Amino acid sequence: MGRIVVGVDGSDPSLKALHWAVRQAELTGDTVEAVNSWEYPATSWASMMPGMPEDFDPQAVATVALTEALEEALGAAGAAAVDKIVVIGNPAQALLDRSEGANLLVVGARGRSGLKATLLGSVSLHVTQHATCPVTVVHG
C-alpha cells in the first residue's frame, strides 16, 4: 500500500483531480493525501490590508478551506478518509516535496497553454518536469 498525493486548492480542476485520485486509490489500495499550500506575498501584506485582525492565521484559514473543499467534493465520510496536508510555500514545490516517495502525484489542469502557461508558471507543467514519481494531470 502506498500514497497518492493530490493538489487541492478548491478550484474545479483540483476537485476533478481529487475525484480521480480517490478512484485510483480505490483500485490500488493506496491512501490519498490532499495537499494545499499558502504563502505570504513578498511584501508585508498585513500592513497593506486595513482591518486585518492581529490574530489572523493563514494556516488555519487554508486548513478550513481544504477541509470544506474535501467535504463538498467527497462528503463528510469521504473527506474523513483523506489525509489533509496544509503547508506554507509555493504550490508546485509543496507538491514536489510531499510527493517524495509517493506512488503517484495528481494535479488538475487549468487549461492554460503556450505563452500563458510560460508567463503564469503552471503548477502542472512544473511538477511534470520535476517530480520523482509518476504524475497524472487531470483535464476537464
Side-chain angles (χ1 to χ4, degrees), residues 7 15 18 20 22 25 33 50-51 53 67 74 80 83-84 93 97 101 103-104 107-108 114 120 123:
L15 296 180
L18 172 64
W20 193 96
V22 167
E33 183 176 286
T67 301
L74 305 174
D83 294 327
K84 297 158 201 63
Q93 190 60 52
D97 292 345
N103 287 351
L104 182 65
V107 293
L120 297 173
V123 171

Side-chain angles (χ1 to χ4, degrees), residues 3-127:
R3 212 169 28 100
I4 297 175
V5 175
V6 57
V8 179
D9 64 5
S11 67
D12 194 46
S14 77
L15 296 180
K16 288 178 181 174
L18 172 64
H19 282 285
W20 193 96
V22 167
R23 286 192 307 272
Q24 182 66 20
E26 290 170 356
L27 296 172
T28 61
D30 293 336
T31 61
V32 176
E33 183 176 286
V35 178
N36 188 353
S37 71
W38 62 274
E39 58 187 340
Y40 286 109
T43 60
S44 174
W45 57 288
S47 64
M48 298 170 56
M49 301 178 86
M52 176 72 69
E54 287 185 27
D55 62 347
F56 178 74
D57 181 0
Q59 180 78 17
V61 171
T63 301
V64 168
L66 177 59
T67 301
E68 288 176 353
L70 292 175
E71 288 178 357
E72 181 180 323
L74 305 174
V82 174
D83 294 327
K84 297 158 201 63
I85 306 295
V86 178
V87 296
I88 184 170
N90 172 274
Q93 190 60 52
L95 289 169
L96 291 172
D97 292 345
R98 291 302 309 180
S99 67
E100 284 286 328
N103 287 351
L104 182 65
L105 172 58
V106 182
V107 293
R110 296 261 189 214
R112 296 184 181 123
S113 61
L115 182 60
K116 284 184 180 179
T118 302
L119 293 175
L120 297 173
S122 167
V123 171
S124 59
L125 178 63
H126 189 80
V127 299

